[in-house]
Structure formats: structure tokens, C-alpha cells
Amino acid sequence: MLFRSGIKYLFQINQKNKIVKYTANILWLSGVVLLIYIGVQLGTDFSEEATAKQNINISQPHGNTLYLDLKPLAEDDLDITYNHHRNIHFGDWTMISKDEDKFRLGYPTLNIVPSTTDNFELVAIKSAQGFNKKEATDRAKNINYGITQIDSTIQFNSYFDIESIDKLRAQDVKLILKVPVNKILFLSKRMEKIIFDIDNVNDALDSDMVNRKWKMTAQGLEC
């Protein structure tokens, strides 16, 4: 309708066509109604948030030291693009790739806390949103995240996968590594990508914690 009005004004056309006018008004009103409907439907799909806890099995290291590393992205991940961009950023997470079956998102976050047992333990807290608690819980459970362990080294995936059918509904993965007192961790340089606000006796920033060994004491992690 704006384009038609512009043409009429530009060429000083005075002819009126009620059919075009009424049709344009009806289409405009239909568009407004459709926009409101879709907005409400989308908004209600973020009504509830739920989490799902997953205990990830890890083998205890041969000695007192557990080595942590971040697995580099595979070549096929680097080659897949989404809307012609390598990575698309949405707030705190990144779209790494997308295909017909799944979204591949990064990055999970890792926190390190004292363990109440004599063993290293790894827990993944998966979260998502939905129309109700059940839907949000199902979406959280459907998040796929894994690690690889070789001897005393854990390689964390830098991404997690969600099924396309679940859509993007604020899915997230938070990892918690529980470390026994007097046991030691080594954080590789690549771990800076996923560690987040880890408490330590030295008050070191996350960026200063990598490439160092940390011992869990009664007071907390100590360099």
C-alpha cells in the first residue's frame, strides 16, 4: 500500500481503486493478527525452565593428577556453515553448525568444586525452556553432550547437540567437576574456553588458571 501510494504521489495519479485499498487493508490486518498469534505462541514456549542432571562416568587417574583438555573442533564442524557464517553468536552461546537433524551449539561451562568422596566426579546440568515443565524437562534430557577420556586425561567437547525438532529454546550445559581433597588438576590452555568463575585460594582469574596445576585443599583450589 505504501509503494502504491508512493507511485500515485510521484506521478500525480488521482485515480482511486477501492478494491485495491480494501484488499491491502485486509492483508495488513491479517498480517498484524498473524504476527500477534505467532508472538504469543513463541513467548509461551519459553514459559517454563527445567534442568536434567547427568552423571558422566569417568575413570580415576592412575596417580593423584587429572589432566583436563578441550577437544578441538573436528574438520567437518569447521567446514559446515550456517547462513554463510562460520559461527553465529547468540548471547552466551555460539551456533557452530546446523543440519537437518540437529543444531551444534557451544560452549558448555565448567566449574570445579570440592568432592565429598575420595573420587573425581563429573556432573552435567542440562537446561532448557518450554511451554510447561514436562516439555522443558524433555528438551533438557534430549541435549547430547559427551567427553573422551584417555588414561588420566579428560577431553571435553566444546559443543553440545540438540535435535532440530526441539528448536532453540535456551538450551545450555553446565559441567561440575568434583575434586577430592589432596588431588591435583592440570588445566590446558584450551580450557580457558569453558571454565567459568572458578573459586580458588589464589584469587586467580580464569585466564590465569590455565597451563597450571591446582591442588584441592580444605580451603579450596590452590595453585
Side-chain angles (χ1 to χ4, degrees), residues 69-83:
D69 195 11
L70 189 66
K71 189 186 299 183
L73 288 173
E75 288 298 324
D76 55 347
D77 289 319
L78 294 176
D79 291 338
I80 295 175
T81 57
Y82 181 76
N83 287 347

Side-chain angles (χ1 to χ4, degrees), residues 107-157:
Y107 293 83
T109 56
L110 172 69
N111 192 17
I112 300 172
V113 300
S115 174
T116 57
T117 69
D118 294 331
N119 293 326
F120 289 95
E121 300 174 64
L122 182 60
V123 179
I125 307 296
K126 306 173 182 179
S127 62
Q129 295 181 354
F131 176 73
N132 52 42
K133 278 289 184 183
K134 182 181 183 306
E135 189 175 76
T137 301
D138 289 341
R139 282 176 173 153
K141 289 180 178 179
N142 288 340
I143 298 173
N144 185 21
Y145 180 78
I147 64 162
T148 301
Q149 183 170 3
I150 303 173
D151 298 326
S152 298
T153 299
I154 293 179
Q155 291 184 322
F156 293 88
N157 280 337

Side-chain angles (χ1 to χ4, degrees), residues 80-88 90 95-98:
I80 295 175
T81 57
Y82 181 76
N83 287 347
H84 308 293
H85 293 282
R86 180 61 52 85
N87 289 328
I88 307 297
F90 296 91
M95 175 85 71
I96 294 175
S97 64
K98 177 188 180 300

Side-chain angles (χ1 to χ4, degrees), residues 33-44:
V33 172
L34 185 61
L35 181 64
I36 294 173
Y37 173 77
I38 292 175
V40 170
Q41 288 290 101
L42 185 61
T44 55

Side-chain angles (χ1 to χ4, degrees), residues 7 18-19 28 45 47 49 70 79 100 104 122 126 129 156 159-160 196 203 207 210:
I7 294 295
K18 291 185 178 181
I19 295 177
W28 185 81
D45 219 14
S47 299
E49 183 175 6
L70 189 66
D79 291 338
E100 292 181 357
R104 177 155 289 180
L122 182 60
K126 306 173 182 179
Q129 295 181 354
F156 293 88
Y159 59 83
F160 52 93
F196 180 73
D203 290 328
S207 58
V210 296

